[in-house]
Amino acid sequence: MEASPHVLVVDDRRDIRESLARYLEKHGVRVTVADAAAAARRALRTAAVDLVVLDIMMPGEDGLGLCRHLRETTRIPVILLTAMAEDTDRIVGLEMGADDYVTKPFNPRELLARIKAVIRRARSLPPEREPRPVGTYRFDRWSLDPRKHELVDEAGVVTPLSTGEFRLLVALLERPGMVLSRDQLLDLTRGRRAAPFDRAVDNQVSRLRRKIERDPGNPEIVATVWGGGYRFAGEVERE
C-alpha cells in the first residue's frame, strides 16, 4: 500500500496554513506547516517531503527565492499560492520550475486535486540513472556545469543556453539512453502548464541541437525516437 503523501505548507498567514492543514489531513495527507522560508528550510532538512505548497508573498525571503532554491537543490514538486492580480510573480515562478499554481482565494478541494495530480506525475517520471551529481557533465566535445548553468566547448568557449534549453539538456543528461516522451519532458522541464498539443519540447530540441550537434540536420547526440520522443544517444561522464 502506497504511503500517504507528505506535504509541506509554507504561508505566513496562520489562518490559511492551519485551515489548509486540517483539510488535507482530513483527506489522508500528512502535513507539516511553516510560517516562513527559514522554517521551511529547517523542515526540509529533517523530513522527507513529497510536495511543497508555497505562498509567494512572505516577509523576509519570499516564495520565489525558496522556489529557486528548491529547483537548484531538489526534485521536490512545488505548487505556488499566488494573489489573483500578481500575474508577473506567477509567470516568474513557473519559469523557475514550479509545477503548478493556485490563485488566492482558493478552493481547498481544487488544491487537493492539484496536489494529487502533481505527486502522481512526479512518481511516474523515469528515474535518473544515478544520483544527481554535484559536478560537471562531459559529453561529446562539451562540458556542462549545472551550478553555473554554463555550457563550454573543448576550446573553452561558452555557449549561452536559455533556461528551457538548460533544463532540457539536464533532463536528458541525467537519463542517458532512456526514451523520454514529450509529456515526460514537459514534466521534467516546465511542469504541466503547457497545452496538450504544445510543440514547445520539439522547438526546444531543435534549438538545443543547433547549439550542440555538429550537424543539426543529422543529430547524433539527441536522437528522435519516432512515436516515442527523444533519447540522449551520446556518452556522458560525470565529475
Side-chain angles (χ1 to χ4, degrees):
M1 183 175 179
E2 195 171 73
S4 300
H6 185 185
V7 172
L8 173 61
V9 175
V10 188
D11 197 302
D12 62 309
R13 287 186 53 180
R14 181 177 178 178
D15 58 331
I16 291 179
R17 64 178 184 269
E18 292 190 353
S19 63
L20 179 56
R22 286 194 298 270
Y23 181 86
L24 295 177
E25 288 169 347
K26 180 181 177 181
H27 289 83
V29 178
R30 292 181 295 137
V31 180
T32 296
V33 296
D35 61 359
R41 288 173 183 261
R42 290 194 294 270
L44 289 164
R45 286 194 294 266
T46 59
V49 172
D50 296 297
L51 181 142
V52 177
V53 175
L54 178 58
D55 183 35
I56 288 181
M57 298 297 294
M58 294 188 296
E61 181 184 10
D62 65 12
L64 294 178
L66 182 56
C67 181
R68 183 188 299 109
H69 168 75
L70 289 170
R71 284 290 66 79
E72 291 174 349
T73 59
T74 77
R75 300 198 68 84
I76 300 172
V78 176
I79 295 179
L80 296 175
L81 298 180
T82 74
M84 183 69 74
E86 298 298 330
D87 284 345
T88 300
D89 285 346
R90 172 177 57 82
I91 293 167
V92 170
L94 293 173
E95 288 176 345
M96 286 181 178
D99 297 85
D100 206 343
Y101 70 92
V102 173
T103 55
K104 292 181 176 181
F106 57 86
N107 184 323
R109 182 177 178 183
E110 177 190 357
L111 179 55
L112 175 61
R114 289 177 182 268
I115 288 170
K116 290 181 176 179
V118 170
I119 291 176
R120 184 167 58 248
R121 290 197 303 266
R123 288 176 174 174
S124 71
L125 290 174
E128 300 171 14
R129 289 295 193 193
E130 300 175 24
R132 178 173 292 204
V134 297
T136 300
Y137 299 92
R138 298 193 184 279
F139 63 98
D140 194 59
R141 65 191 189 280
W142 301 100
S143 298
L144 180 70
D145 186 335
R147 295 162 298 187
K148 298 180 180 178
H149 288 211
E150 276 190 355
L151 179 66
V152 183
D153 68 13
E154 55 198 353
V157 177
V158 176
T159 296
L161 294 176
S162 69
T163 299
E165 292 162 356
F166 171 78
R167 289 178 181 158
L168 173 63
L169 181 55
V170 170
L172 292 165
L173 288 169
E174 287 173 346
R175 301 162 181 82
M178 287 187 181
V179 177
L180 298 173
S181 70
R182 290 171 177 82
D183 280 350
Q184 288 173 329
L185 286 170
L186 280 173
D187 279 330
L188 289 166
T189 60
R190 298 179 59 188
R192 295 310 303 269
R193 302 309 303 171
F197 302 105
D198 194 339
R199 303 295 291 179
V201 169
D202 296 327
N203 293 335
Q204 290 279 25
V205 169
S206 295
R207 287 194 290 270
L208 183 61
R209 281 172 170 166
R210 288 196 291 270
K211 294 183 176 181
I212 68 173
E213 298 279 2
R214 298 177 190 274
D215 179 3
N218 295 286
E220 298 180 348
I221 300 174
V222 181
T224 299
V225 180
W226 299 111
Y230 296 99
R231 175 174 63 87
F232 192 88
E235 295 292 327
V236 180
E237 298 179 0
R238 301 179 176 187
E239 296 182 355

